[in-house]
Amino acid sequence: HALLRQWLTPLWQLLRARGWDAIYYQHVFDEPLPTQADHYRHLALIVRQLMPGVRLMDAVHIHELNGAVDVMVPSYLGGVRKERRFAEAYQRCGVEVWYYTCCCPRGRWLNRFLDFPLLRTRLLHWYNYITHTTGYLHWGLNHYRGMDPWQQTVIDPEIHPDGVVVLPPGDTHVVWPGDNAAYGSLRLTAMRNGIEDYELLQMLRDDPTRAQRADAIADSVIRNGTSYIQDPVTFTRH
């Protein structure tokens, strides 16, 4: 508790002084398991005491956290209908539900790997729409760990304690290193376009006279994480 106070209290003071507290999310610890639920709730309470008003967000492997988190990002829910019911149930309690990808899924699933078609990256946010989840958590913005992402797939020995794990191409980053700056990528542009698609669909849904039209458009493009339009020309026509 004393160590957390030394770090979190001045951090929260700085964020408030600069007006960043309204856009800030704090993680407690990553991917808590069901056996760690009590520990997570205890830590969350300490963080809220030291950072009053902060929003807590974590990727989790547990669903019952009794209000300990403001933004829940489950690792897997199983099926669009189940995910939608889950998201709506928590939203009624004032908890946002996002989803995330990390190292997987692969195959036909939507994701933003370098060797995936860009359309799959754009449709990540159509998946938000059909599941009623309100955000997407991607673990690697620029997680190069001192290696050169231009020359090789990033190899990160810290991901797995027993050895080196070769991560999927692009899993660690969606921007590229530049001189005192980060360069955007085609995948980042595709994500931005997908977010704009999501917002347009939400605007239609919010209009009672057009809500069914919004759902019909989405249904014509994507059914779930593995069933969706794959041809970009056909997608553009929609």
Side-chain angles (χ1 to χ4, degrees):
H1 197 159
L3 181 61
L4 289 175
R5 182 183 295 110
Q6 291 176 9
W7 175 54
L8 293 179
T9 299
L11 171 63
W12 193 233
Q13 292 171 348
L14 174 65
L15 291 169
R16 282 188 160 177
R18 298 192 176 184
W20 295 343
D21 54 308
I23 60 173
Y24 182 82
Y25 293 86
Q26 179 65 49
H27 289 277
V28 178
F29 71 86
D30 191 40
E31 299 182 348
L33 301 171
T35 56
Q36 299 169 316
D38 290 341
H39 182 53
Y40 184 93
R41 286 191 287 265
H42 178 68
L43 281 177
L45 179 61
I46 293 174
V47 173
R48 289 189 188 280
Q49 290 173 342
L50 298 175
M51 306 175 76
V54 72
R55 287 178 292 179
L56 302 184
M57 175 179 69
D58 269 303
V60 298
H61 289 302
I62 181 174
H63 296 164
E64 299 299 331
L65 289 173
N66 298 335
V69 65
D70 300 294
V71 181
M72 181 177 288
V73 192
S75 57
Y76 176 73
L77 297 175
V80 169
R81 291 182 181 178
K82 183 176 180 180
E83 292 182 20
R84 188 181 301 160
R85 289 195 300 267
F86 182 90
E88 291 174 346
Y90 273 90
Q91 287 161 5
R92 287 193 291 269
C93 300
V95 177
E96 282 191 70
V97 177
W98 296 10
Y99 81 97
Y100 79 109
T101 61
C102 176
C103 301
C104 61
R106 308 188 196 187
R108 290 173 54 88
W109 286 89
L110 301 175
N111 216 318
R112 54 169 212 171
F113 299 139
L114 275 169
D115 55 351
F116 274 19
L118 283 174
L119 184 56
R120 294 195 198 180
T121 300
R122 183 168 181 168
L123 291 179
L124 286 170
H125 304 294
W126 287 68
Y127 190 76
N128 279 122
Y129 180 82
I130 65 173
T131 59
H132 297 184
T133 51
T134 55
Y136 167 71
L137 177 65
H138 48 101
W139 82 276
L141 173 71
N142 58 345
H143 198 71
Y144 312 122
R145 286 194 180 271
M147 305 192 77
D148 186 354
W150 299 97
Q151 300 297 327
Q152 60 188 346
T153 299
V154 174
I155 301 175
D156 191 341
E158 295 187 20
I159 295 296
H160 195 284
D162 297 329
V164 174
V165 175
V166 180
L167 300 174
D171 189 53
T172 56
H173 58 284
V174 73
V175 296
W176 299 96
D179 296 330
N180 299 316
Y183 296 136
S185 66
L186 292 175
R187 291 175 297 143
L188 187 60
T189 299
M191 290 188 71
R192 181 196 64 196
N193 291 339
I195 292 170
E196 291 177 350
D197 295 340
Y198 170 87
E199 293 294 340
L200 290 171
L201 289 168
Q202 285 293 117
M203 289 172 64
L204 282 176
R205 176 183 279 170
D206 291 341
D207 183 342
T209 64
R210 298 183 177 183
Q212 291 185 346
R213 174 59 177 161
D215 290 343
I217 292 172
D219 190 58
S220 69
V221 172
I222 179 172
R223 295 296 182 90
N224 55 55
T226 59
S227 178
Y228 47 84
I229 288 178
Q230 300 191 47
D231 177 41
V233 176
T234 305
F235 170 80
T236 302
R237 291 172 182 164
H238 282 66

